[in-house]
Amino acid sequence: MGKTRDPYQFDVIVVGAGHAGLEAALAPARMGLRTALLTMNCDTVGQMSCNPAIGGVAKGQIVREVDALGGAMGVLTDATAIQFRLLNRGKGAAMHSPRAQCDKKAYQFLAKLTVERQPNLTLRQEMIETLDVVDGRIVGLRCRGGIVYKAGAVVLTTGTFLQALMHTGEEKTVGGRGGDVAALGLSQSLRSLGFELRRFKTGTPPRINGRTIDFAKLAPQPGDAEPVPFSFLTDRIEQPQMECHITATNPAVHEIIRANLHRAPMYSGQIQSTGPRYCPSIEDKVVRFADRESHQIFLEPEGRNTLEYYCNGISTSLPRDVQEAVIPLIPGLENAEIMRYGYAVEYDFAPPEQLNATLETKAVPGLFFAGQINGTTGYEEAAAQGLIAGINAALAVKGEPPFVLDRSSAYIGVLIDDLVTRGVDEPYRMFTSRAEYRLLLRHDNADLRLTESGRRVGLVDDARWSRFEARRDAINGLRDRLTTTRRGGVSLFQVLRRHETTWSDLVDLAPELAETGWPDDVVGQVVIEAKYNGYVGRQVEQIERFRRLEDKTIPGDLDYGAIHQLRAEAREKFERVRPQSLGQAGRISGVNPADLATLLIHLKRRGPLPTQDA
């Protein structure tokens, strides 16, 4: 008999199998490392606990970046979505954001199957209780029953489960999601290692039986006639789409909510933690926007093989009887039956200034955090962090240089830099406005920006790489053709730059372009490049200035307490974040230009400033 493999010894262990854990586990496994994905329930891998939708404003860009790097979310979405919409079509290309409503169970089942099929990856049901740290470094973890796992790196993706408590009115239930238990031991283990933990809350709306909805009273919201896929591997979306529907609250609904605010946990004092500002509960909306007579509600089907509808827009933690009183007052829901009541959940998170840009913790080498444990909200933000944490956990085990995306190269870079540099005082959600270089960080060019990086770390296989090269070469070929072909002394690319000129106009001017048969996505990419050409040039100059500051590194052992000229607040912020570059130092909340100048003077007195390449 051959030598038996130790079933508890791995290179990388990932704790939690939500959207962060899924990407965090697939990445090191695909990079050739023996990986374990440990979860409280193997049947909930990739479960969509809230709205079964992927993408949206800025979030869609993140999903395409995850896909370009070799992640799974885009592929899973394309295979299981029931409606696709490209948001902000009336605005410029930099604002376009793909969004899809998914079949909740189909997505979950395909996510689990993807994990089960992945070589080097073991899915196992365990309850983690403590982390094992020896000489300051993570060496593994302990599970309920005294089981000990060993690994060179551990990624925690605990979602909303740390010390989780659910609220529906006065009713309180221990759990991180309806029907699931909470993780109760891990928070104490983290605190014992010196980590600071705080509390956030999030919420979910009631779900309705579609059989009891009067759709004749509702406005239908169909998907796009020509759906835009998320994955660059997907040629086209073949499956039929389903309609969503729109209704709204009204003054009668608001009156009931106001009369019961004293029973809402957020207003009674039962919940004191902070919730997501940009996804407020219906009770928050009624209070904060008292002059509004109605708020939209999107009724979204949860799948092809269920009649359950998600009531997007009325997230609530009001008591059950109040929810029962409110729902029949909404047009189309007069006879609706609630299948699941809305609730809020409080949970522990670790303020993300405790992380490096790799998502490795500063306090414990080899330990990485990803997802809601870092104070974020959203499947997309979680998947992005999981992917980066998984990549860096693998690289750390291999002894290779870390992988970091900066703000100029990806929305993922903006997300992580915001977290580790500025921290969070409410659940973090990505918006296009957070990305100062968003003209370059479009969803349509995510593959051109990031696929080479995915290939370099070992996540982009030969089939994807071949496909990417063909698209990249075609784009370059068309751009060169337009740049070198002239009409009336002006290149066709210059003609296409004109606001009023369309591709059809250009083909009329140069009919030979039609003979080549350029793919639609290639034509679309070059047209966008032409229209944005002037703006992009200026943004490239901004990025060059940004990178000059990013390249000036700060020694990791710098004693900020010895820089007496610094303001006390700046000293405290620098000590907490420990910025790795002058650029990052300047982005810390509460740091002003004078603080940065003082720091620069001090560093110059120490000698020549090192650069990232040094």
Side-chain angles (χ1 to χ4, degrees):
M1 294 178 62
K3 186 179 178 181
T4 304
R5 227 177 199 180
D6 185 343
Y8 303 109
Q9 179 70 52
F10 294 89
D11 297 312
V12 177
I13 295 173
V14 177
V15 177
H19 302 278
L22 187 70
E23 301 289 357
L26 288 171
R30 289 171 174 174
M31 293 166 70
L33 296 185
R34 190 165 182 240
T35 306
L37 178 56
L38 307 183
T39 176
M40 292 186 290
N41 186 348
C42 285
D43 292 327
T44 57
V45 174
Q47 179 162 314
M48 293 174 149
S49 308
C50 201
N51 188 3
I54 296 293
V57 176
K59 293 169 172 278
Q61 283 89 326
I62 289 177
V63 180
R64 296 214 99 196
E65 291 177 351
V66 167
D67 179 74
L69 287 166
M73 180 171 268
V75 173
L76 295 174
T77 301
D78 287 347
T80 62
I82 57 179
Q83 189 192 87
F84 291 81
R85 294 180 66 221
L86 186 65
L87 307 183
N88 293 330
R89 280 185 182 272
K91 299 181 180 180
M95 300 298 289
H96 294 175
S97 299
R99 183 186 188 272
Q101 192 73 17
C102 290
D103 184 311
K104 179 177 181 175
K105 286 299 179 184
Y107 188 102
Q108 180 183 331
F109 292 156
L110 184 57
K112 182 170 184 275
L113 183 60
T114 300
V115 167
E116 293 167 340
R117 283 174 169 168
Q118 179 60 49
N120 302 317
L121 181 53
T122 297
L123 175 65
R124 199 168 289 167
Q125 190 161 297
E126 298 280 14
M127 173 66 81
I128 290 78
E129 295 192 330
T130 60
L131 301 174
D132 272 358
V133 175
V134 176
D135 296 329
R137 184 175 187 87
I138 194 82
V139 295
L141 47 80
R142 295 173 185 269
C143 303
R144 183 172 294 172
I147 302 300
V148 177
Y149 281 81
K150 297 292 183 183
V154 172
V155 185
L156 294 188
T157 69
T158 51
T160 61
F161 286 86
L162 285 182
Q163 294 290 124
L165 185 63
M166 296 183 292
H167 302 258
T168 302
E170 301 87 350
E171 177 188 345
K172 292 187 284 187
T173 307
V174 174
R177 179 172 55 204
D180 288 337
V181 299
L184 301 177
L186 199 49
S187 287
Q188 183 54 43
S189 180
L190 288 168
R191 284 194 175 95
S192 70
L193 294 171
F195 288 100
E196 177 190 358
L197 299 181
R198 297 181 195 160
R199 299 284 276 177
F200 271 164
K201 82 99 181 175
T202 189
T204 191
R207 272 73 156 186
I208 302 296
N209 187 329
R211 172 178 55 81
T212 63
I213 297 173
D214 186 351
F215 290 104
K217 294 182 179 179
L218 306 179
Q221 185 187 48
D224 291 341
E226 296 184 10
V228 175
F230 274 97
S231 177
F232 290 95
L233 296 178
T234 306
D235 289 321
R236 64 184 61 84
I237 302 299
E238 302 286 0
Q239 67 265 34
Q241 298 191 65
M242 297 178 68
E243 284 188 336
C244 297
H245 291 80
I246 302 174
T247 184
T249 61
N250 51 57
V253 169
H254 299 179
E255 184 178 344
I256 289 180
I257 291 172
R258 288 192 189 98
N260 287 277
L261 281 175
H262 64 286
R263 301 178 63 198
M266 285 294 290
Y267 290 89
S268 67
Q270 184 173 308
I271 294 177
Q272 296 186 349
S273 50
T274 305
R277 179 189 310 183
Y278 301 103
C279 188
S281 65
I282 186 60
E283 48 266 43
D284 279 343
K285 291 179 183 178
V286 167
V287 171
R288 286 167 50 189
F289 309 105
D291 58 327
R292 292 273 299 274
E293 293 194 346
S294 67
H295 296 281
Q296 273 194 327
I297 302 171
F298 297 89
L299 298 178
E300 300 168 329
E302 295 216 333
R304 298 186 190 279
N305 299 303
T306 180
L307 292 180
E308 192 167 355
Y309 273 73
Y310 183 92
C311 300
N312 190 352
I314 51 171
S315 172
T316 186
S317 59
L318 286 162
R320 289 179 175 222
D321 62 292
V322 179
Q323 296 184 42
E324 290 282 7
V326 161
I327 291 297
L329 297 176
I330 297 170
L333 304 185
E334 292 87 352
N335 299 303
E337 295 177 0
I338 297 176
M339 295 178 67
R340 304 174 202 251
Y341 292 90
Y343 62 89
V345 58
E346 283 187 290
Y347 56 95
D348 286 350
F349 79 98
E353 303 98 312
Q354 300 172 97
L355 302 173
N356 294 312
T358 59
L359 298 182
E360 184 176 29
T361 65
K362 296 173 182 176
V364 180
L367 177 62
F368 296 76
F369 293 168
Q372 284 179 284
I373 191 174
N374 292 337
T376 62
T377 180
Y379 306 142
E380 304 83 1
E381 290 89 342
Q385 293 171 73
L387 181 63
I388 298 302
I391 290 171
N392 280 306
L395 293 174
V397 170
K398 289 182 172 186
E400 296 179 8
F403 177 72
V404 175
L405 294 171
D406 66 36
R407 301 181 71 87
S408 67
S409 59
Y411 270 87
I412 296 174
V414 175
L415 162 67
I416 293 175
D417 183 64
D418 279 353
L419 292 175
V420 304
T421 303
R422 297 169 177 166
V424 293
D425 53 16
E426 63 187 34
Y428 180 100
R429 177 180 177 177
M430 178 54 71
F431 293 100
T432 51
S433 58
R434 296 190 191 272
E436 56 268 54
Y437 307 117
R438 55 188 171 274
L439 295 185
L440 286 171
L441 307 183
R442 305 185 306 275
H443 84 91
D444 59 86
N445 68 1
D447 62 331
L448 301 176
R449 291 185 279 116
L450 298 174
T451 303
E452 290 186 35
S453 296
R455 178 73 167 179
R456 194 163 57 249
V457 298
L459 284 183
V460 172
D461 61 21
D462 290 343
R464 179 185 281 266
W465 182 248
S466 176
R467 190 184 184 99
F468 164 73
E469 285 189 311
R471 173 173 145 85
R472 179 196 60 194
D473 292 348
I475 290 168
N476 291 340
L478 178 54
R479 188 192 307 111
D480 291 345
R481 175 84 171 269
L482 298 184
T483 302
T484 56
T485 304
R486 308 180 77 81
R487 290 290 185 276
V490 179
S491 75
L492 292 182
F493 192 80
Q494 289 294 111
V495 174
L496 190 57
R497 284 185 59 184
R498 297 169 185 165
H499 177 73
E500 70 279 4
T501 303
T502 66
W503 176 253
S504 296
D505 296 333
L506 205 66
V507 172
D508 289 342
L509 185 64
E512 65 271 21
L513 291 174
E515 299 170 6
T516 312
W518 303 97
D520 290 343
D521 68 311
V522 170
V523 170
Q525 183 63 45
V526 174
V527 169
I528 291 171
E529 288 182 9
K531 301 301 184 187
Y532 273 74
N533 189 256
Y535 304 107
V536 166
R538 289 193 290 273
Q539 199 146 95
V540 167
E541 293 175 3
Q542 294 170 358
I543 288 174
E544 288 173 354
R545 290 195 295 271
F546 159 80
R547 286 195 168 143
R548 283 197 292 271
L549 281 176
E550 292 300 298
D551 285 343
K552 291 181 171 61
T553 60
I554 298 174
D557 61 351
L558 184 63
D559 181 6
Y560 293 101
I563 310 176
H564 303 297
Q565 298 85 350
L566 278 175
R567 293 180 307 118
E569 181 186 6
R571 237 188 337 262
E572 186 273 328
K573 293 289 180 66
F574 285 148
E575 194 63 51
R576 179 176 175 81
V577 175
R578 302 214 60 87
Q580 296 176 300
S581 70
L582 278 177
Q584 186 185 6
R587 293 191 296 276
I588 298 174
S589 177
V591 170
N592 62 39
D595 299 325
L596 201 61
T598 300
L599 177 60
L600 180 58
I601 291 170
H602 178 82
L603 290 170
K604 285 183 175 178
R605 286 174 180 164
R606 286 171 53 111
L609 287 178
T611 64
Q612 297 281 13
D613 296 326

